[in-house]
Amino acid sequence: MKTQRVNPNGMNPMQMNSMSGMMGMMNSIQRIGKGKRKIAVVLDKGNKKFLSKFIDEVKKQFLSSAMGAQTANLGEFFDYIKSIADSKDQMELKLSFEEYEFLKRMLIDSVRGMEGMSFKWYQFIKKGMIKVMIKQYRELLTKFK
């Protein structure tokens, strides 16, 4: 992937913030799978099911993008989380600091994205479903904090 040079004077602060966030995410993606898994996150049955479905969706998004060799470590990481979330006897998810921060950031970004959605008055079913999903994401996020 070829890097593009950007003139920082020609950008507004929102674009700069967005670019900075994307660069931080790319930096953490490159470091996934390289550290020792010392941070333990204890999950209950409901959180494990939701995490499994969340990882399925995230895996689809990341593997469909053209990131090349960087997705190899990411795919292995998602497989590891999926195996822990699907096993009945393990209630503890071990993560390295980079993996922990990456997962936490993904959950926070998902919540922010869903909170920013606006619906028409007749889309009350969608609105209700999004509210329930936000509640589930926040509950899972409390396990990570």
Side-chain angles (χ1 to χ4, degrees):
M1 195 162 89
K2 188 177 178 184
T3 58
Q4 287 183 333
R5 298 202 128 203
V6 178
N7 182 7
N9 293 332
M11 297 174 72
N12 62 23
M14 285 293 285
Q15 289 174 327
M16 286 292 284
N17 233 356
S18 175
M19 287 285 262
S20 174
M22 285 193 305
M23 294 306 289
M25 187 68 95
M26 290 299 292
N27 192 14
S28 61
I29 286 174
Q30 290 174 348
R31 289 189 272 151
I32 284 180
K34 294 190 169 88
K36 292 191 178 186
R37 295 185 169 141
K38 295 181 179 180
I39 299 173
V41 178
V42 180
L43 301 169
D44 60 349
K45 185 179 175 183
N47 286 334
K48 282 174 54 170
K49 280 186 177 181
F50 185 71
L51 183 63
S52 177
K53 291 183 193 253
F54 174 70
I55 291 299
D56 283 339
E57 294 300 317
V58 169
K59 196 173 180 182
K60 286 178 192 175
Q61 287 179 353
F62 273 100
L63 295 180
S64 67
S65 68
M67 292 176 80
Q70 294 172 352
T71 57
N73 287 343
L74 211 52
E76 292 171 8
F77 173 60
F78 290 147
D79 290 338
Y80 165 71
I81 293 176
K82 180 92 170 126
S83 67
I84 296 293
D86 289 341
S87 69
K88 291 184 179 183
D89 56 339
Q90 289 184 332
M91 294 299 199
E92 190 174 77
L93 177 66
K94 292 235 177 225
L95 301 167
S96 68
F97 180 75
E98 289 83 15
E99 294 167 345
Y100 175 76
E101 287 296 317
F102 176 72
L103 215 53
K104 195 165 80 168
R105 185 180 286 174
M106 280 183 15
L107 289 169
I108 290 170
D109 287 346
S110 298
V111 169
R112 280 186 190 152
M114 285 189 283
E115 284 176 341
M117 292 178 151
S118 61
F119 298 101
K120 304 279 187 204
W121 66 270
Y122 52 82
Q123 293 176 316
F124 54 90
I125 295 175
K126 260 188 190 176
K127 192 174 188 179
M129 286 176 51
I130 292 295
K131 282 186 179 182
V132 169
M133 284 180 61
I134 288 173
K135 188 175 180 182
Q136 286 177 322
Y137 274 102
R138 285 210 173 119
E139 183 181 330
L140 184 59
L141 199 54
T142 58
K143 298 287 183 177
F144 279 89
K145 288 188 176 179

